[in-house]
Amino acid sequence: MQEKSIHIHGAIATCMRALSMKLPRATAATLPPRWFAGMLVLLACTSGAMLGRGAVAAEMPLYPTGPDEDSSFIRFLNAGSRPIVVTSGKAKTTLGTDRPSTGYLPVAGGSKISGQLSLQGAKPKAVALQLAPGEFVTVVAIPGVDTLSTPLLREQPDDFNALKASLGFADLSAGACRQPGLQVAGRNVLLFEHASPGKVQRRLINPVALKVQLICAGKPQGLPLDLGRLQAGERYSVIVTPSGTGPKLMFANDQVAK
Amino acid sequence: MFLGITLAGLSILMIGDSHLASPSNLTGPLNDKLLDSGAEVHSLGVCGAHAGDWTKVTKGICGGAERRGRAKATLVGSTAATVPVKQLIAKEKPDLLVVVMGDTIAGYDKPTFSRAYAWQNVTALTKDIASTGVRCIWVGPAWGSEGGKYGKTFARVEQVSKFLSSNVAPCTYVDSLKFSKPGQWATIDGQHFTINGYKLWADAILKEIQKKP
């Protein structure tokens, strides 16, 4: 049996109020006799009560159906070969070649984050930013000889998919790679092209084993990078970074820190 | 000829939110229908629980219910809490896990759907489920009716259902929106159905589960 969408509690309450109301004095020309009108109301409310006894489920207390604002996520990534110490408040971690990045740390949407990145021999670099709800931010530490630059990669993805792998591509080569692109290694298949500096492009791909080749101004640059077997539901980033031997690719799993 | 899943003799563990938190909700008719099909059923519902809450012990905010087999559901008040799903599965070794969830992460009274939050929450649970290797079905939210104290809207529940359909793997998704038209099943508050509404939903869920390979 199908029902119209009605709020059952409201209907019963209306009936109860009607029963407690004084009925108008009837005339032969207009309203039905008072006793008849009362019977009609009683019948309606009885039907409603019978319907209510069989159809009204237990009322659930009101509870919030989600956060006030979407979550934001921040991570730190060391694009160099020398260790970098990341501090924020009392938290401290070191990023080196064995562990070049943190996972994405969830924070409340709209949070302000401040901290410091330290490279031995260089002046510590302060970092302060505010994350928009739903935003994923990567603070990339790019060491120079005695300096440290910290460009940000910011994105608000909407391609969450447990059946595909999400691959992002971004250029932080500071002009060392012109018209950066990424293609499948050994094949003339472009995954990304003409990346704008500091902007993340993203696409969903099948979860397969993948090797990629950096393309600068239409020509292969450096050696292919083996991304391994990409997993369905996982998110990854390939970032073009500068180095002493020219622009190079860096690969990161965009996982949420546990 | 494809025969679909046979429920007879199957042990089924169900976890979910308020739709499993009262005997007058799904805990009554859905459990009964699965039992009538020959399955063993154990259900746990914690009112207001989000998906990620089932990866660690999380206190409920509005009670809960547990039901084993044909026994009456036990209502749990302020002590209601989730049980980590890996722990549940390791202890009970069910043949099938059924998750009933979606309304609690929809943000019906918020201007936008918190997609990143939902992704983090849902994938935390699905990763834990995947690690156990248990077969899993995820039942998404039904239409309900617009307005009510939760501010449910058809546009938002449709958005949430679409998101879940792409993000609950390895669970197979059951799209409850296909079972009825918007507002067709009566609710008491826009989100929770009348007893008759829950019976209709339970019947549709059972038929859908029986179709799954």
Side-chain angles (χ1 to χ4, degrees):
Chain A
M1 185 177 78
Q2 296 174 340
E3 303 174 354
K4 284 187 180 179
S5 176
I6 50 173
H7 290 278
I8 298 294
H9 277 173
I12 293 177
T14 302
C15 273
M16 299 302 289
R17 282 196 294 274
L19 272 177
S20 66
M21 284 166 59
K22 279 192 175 176
L23 295 167
R25 187 172 291 278
T27 68
T30 54
L31 296 164
R34 206 176 150 158
W35 66 267
F36 184 68
M39 286 298 294
L40 284 177
V41 173
L42 181 62
L43 189 63
C45 288
T46 305
S47 300
M50 285 175 66
L51 187 64
R53 274 207 298 279
V56 178
E59 186 159 351
M60 285 289 162
L62 181 63
Y63 55 79
T65 56
D68 288 338
E69 282 191 311
D70 204 354
S71 301
S72 307
F73 300 83
I74 184 167
R75 70 172 169 187
F76 298 87
L77 189 148
N78 180 0
S81 56
R82 289 178 287 160
I84 285 176
V85 178
V86 180
T87 54
S88 180
K90 292 182 182 175
K92 183 177 178 180
T93 191
T94 301
L95 299 177
T97 52
D98 57 338
R99 180 178 162 260
S101 78
T102 66
Y104 273 112
L105 304 159
V107 296
S111 293
K112 291 181 181 176
I113 305 292
S114 61
Q116 182 171 274
L117 277 67
S118 304
L119 171 70
Q120 192 172 18
K123 191 177 172 184
K125 190 72 178 289
V127 173
L129 62 146
Q130 184 168 16
L131 288 81
E135 191 171 35
F136 287 68
V137 176
T138 302
V139 180
V140 183
I142 300 181
V145 174
D146 56 3
T147 58
L148 187 63
S149 67
T150 52
L152 303 179
L153 290 175
R154 311 183 80 131
E155 55 177 329
Q156 288 182 294
D158 63 357
D159 67 334
F160 303 110
N161 191 308
L163 301 171
K164 300 266 192 182
S166 172
L167 183 64
F169 180 60
D171 171 40
L172 292 178
S173 69
C177 178
R178 286 176 45 237
Q179 300 170 0
L182 196 69
Q183 75 177 31
V184 177
R187 296 179 61 190
N188 190 22
V189 175
L190 261 180
L191 296 170
F192 300 97
E193 57 179 338
H194 304 308
S196 299
K199 302 286 184 200
V200 181
Q201 296 179 34
R202 198 165 276 281
R203 63 181 292 173
L204 291 173
I205 58 178
N206 289 322
V208 296
L210 185 64
K211 288 183 185 175
V212 294
Q213 173 67 58
L214 175 63
I215 303 294
C216 297
K219 293 183 180 154
Q221 171 73 42
L223 293 173
L225 179 66
D226 189 352
L227 307 188
R229 177 165 289 277
L230 305 183
Q231 301 296 316
E234 293 295 317
R235 305 176 65 77
Y236 308 91
S237 293
V238 174
I239 304 168
V240 187
T241 60
S243 77
T245 54
K248 67 181 179 77
L249 291 176
M250 186 166 184
F251 177 52
N253 186 318
D254 302 344
Q255 58 193 349
V256 174
K258 291 180 183 171
Chain B
M1 184 175 69
F2 176 68
L3 296 176
I5 190 173
T6 302
L7 295 176
L10 225 60
S11 63
I12 300 176
L13 173 64
M14 285 204 291
I15 60 172
D17 50 29
S18 54
H19 295 302
L20 290 181
S22 165
S24 55
N25 294 359
L26 282 176
T27 307
L30 181 56
N31 289 42
D32 285 343
K33 286 178 190 295
L34 291 170
L35 289 162
D36 290 344
S37 298
E40 298 170 18
V41 184
H42 176 204
S43 67
L44 281 156
V46 176
C47 175
H50 294 193
D53 293 342
W54 289 94
T55 65
K56 56 192 183 302
V57 177
T58 307
K59 282 195 72 174
I61 53 177
C62 43
E66 180 174 11
R67 189 177 177 204
R68 288 183 184 272
R70 298 240 181 236
K72 284 187 179 178
T74 304
L75 291 176
V76 185
S78 59
T79 59
T82 61
V83 179
V85 72
K86 284 167 76 171
Q87 187 180 317
L88 275 172
I89 290 169
K91 183 180 175 187
E92 305 200 3
K93 299 178 175 48
D95 296 311
L96 177 66
L97 174 71
V98 177
V99 179
V100 181
M101 212 168 298
D103 283 321
T104 54
I105 55 171
Y108 290 125
D109 58 338
K110 309 299 187 297
T112 56
F113 173 45
S114 292
R115 191 181 302 272
Y117 174 82
W119 167 74
Q120 182 198 1
N121 230 267
V122 168
T123 52
L125 177 57
T126 56
K127 282 188 174 181
D128 273 10
I129 293 171
S131 72
T132 69
V134 77
R135 184 170 170 178
C136 174
I137 288 175
W138 189 303
V139 178
W143 287 112
S145 47
E146 292 201 309
K149 63 187 181 187
Y150 298 94
K152 188 164 186 173
T153 64
F154 297 146
R156 181 59 58 82
V157 72
E158 197 167 20
Q159 189 179 19
V160 172
S161 187
K162 189 178 176 187
F163 170 85
L164 289 172
S165 70
S166 299
N167 283 280
V168 298
C171 298
T172 303
Y173 186 62
V174 170
D175 183 356
S176 296
L177 301 184
K178 293 182 177 173
F179 299 153
S180 68
K181 293 178 184 166
Q184 182 179 353
W185 295 343
T187 71
I188 59 172
D189 58 14
Q191 184 166 303
H192 300 99
F193 297 97
T194 62
I195 289 177
N196 286 339
Y198 275 116
K199 283 179 182 172
L200 290 167
W201 193 12
D203 191 49
I205 293 170
L206 173 73
K207 286 176 183 166
E208 197 64 23
I209 288 177
Q210 288 172 322
K211 284 189 214 169
K212 298 298 178 190

